[in-house]
Amino acid sequence: MSADAGVKKGFMSWYFQSNLLIRILIGLVLGAVVGIALGAADPALAKGFSNNARFFGDLFIRLLKMIMVPVVFFSLVGGAASIAPSHLGRVGVKILAFYLITSAVAVLIGLILANFIQPGLNFNVAGDPAAQVTVRTAPSLGAVILAIIPTNPVESLAKGDVLPIIFFSICFGVAISLVKDATNAKTAQAAEVLFETFTAAADTMYKIVAGVMQYAPVGVFVLIAIVFAEQGSKAIGPLLLVTLTVYIGLTIHLVVCYGGCLGVFGLGLGAFLRKATQPMITAFVTRSSSGTLPITLRATEERMGAPRSIASFSLPLGATINMDGTAIYLGVCAMFIGYATNAPLTLAQQAIVVVTATLASIGTAGVPGAGAIMLLMVMESIGMEVQAGTAIAAAYAMILGIDALLDMGRTSLNVTGDMVGTVIIAKQEKTLDQAVWDAK
Ligand code: ASP
């Protein structure tokens, strides 16, 4: 690890000089073991642990969030400035098509699996007057498109709204590349300096990302221990089947859909996964695609060899609109609610779910728990509105009870899908740095 290289011998050198990925994996496994043990031993003890340890997990999440906006902004302006506008348009269309098609396939996988496994069958969930649910309605298409254009880019940067930031950064980057070709030599030279400044700023941010990752093993340990201490036992009971169905779906999508796409372009799934481990684990524990973005960007550029001109655009976009894991989750959970309330979804309803879950996954924000809110909309689209006191609300509440566990897996796949799309488009555009990909 390059970040380890400059570390002098000190009392922590054993830590910094050991392999970072192995340290993160140890944090992951130890966290799960400690969390499950605490949860099984004594719920009060588990609660106390969560309250006290949360600080160390929040520290990791805040460090990631701190660099998210600067990384996206600097690398996207630099990336857009280094690519011809027409090329950017072509790449944009391809990546959007990839995101859309794989999301629809993901819902289908979720539905087919749930038809086989039938999670929730014979549950006979009854209404629970205590269940409180508020349904959100989908915004209109016009409103969605208008919201992408910031009225004040500084405000979008301050709020961390990714789509408006993407829009403004592309405008800024494309304008820099046009000014670089200006007839006035002085202006052209100044634009060149501006371009190099943004590129250097992005590289500087990646240095910070590398530093933050040194804390990842501790953050991973704490975050995972808290989730398992609080939720582990809940998923083992009646909800085991729905958890399993979601995770089997995620695995099938990873191996068949992503493995197949990579294979078509001569790229191996094994090599991909080795390079993708850090972002996948970070997404798993933070449950946020947006929060993981700095790590995803760095891994895709530095370990997989995707050019900044593509990755800086496709990854922030993917973290906002491409949620294959969420799509699978929506399909499976819609089916679960149907089975659990003795109203299995008809084929017609399932066909509607394919459309609405694909759209809902696009509208899902890359933050923890966002997919569960979208499930309300999917249910409403098939005439099974989640209303407080009904059996549907009770079944929904069961899912919410284990949402963190499901969110971990789906977020990890969400982030993986963005990286797969980026790498294969780069390969297809002949801009993937094969030497970097081939390196260990
Ligand atoms: N947590 C997911 C993500 O950030 C979204 C979801 O809740 O499905 O990708």
Side-chain angles (χ1 to χ4, degrees), residues 206 209 278-280 283 289-302 304 311 315 319 415-416 418-419:
Y206 285 139
V209 176
Q278 275 193 15
M280 286 175 81
S289 302
S290 311
T292 310
L293 202 44
I295 318 293
T296 322
L297 273 161
R298 181 166 167 260
T300 315
E301 269 191 41
E302 293 182 3
M304 301 184 191
L315 293 174
V415 165
T416 309
D418 306 337
M419 290 188 281

Side-chain angles (χ1 to χ4, degrees), residues 287-290 323 326 329 364-372 407 410-411 414:
R287 288 179 272 139
S288 168
S289 302
S290 311
M323 309 268 170
T326 304
Y329 154 88
T364 305
V367 296
D407 201 3
R410 67 180 190 249
T411 308
N414 288 347

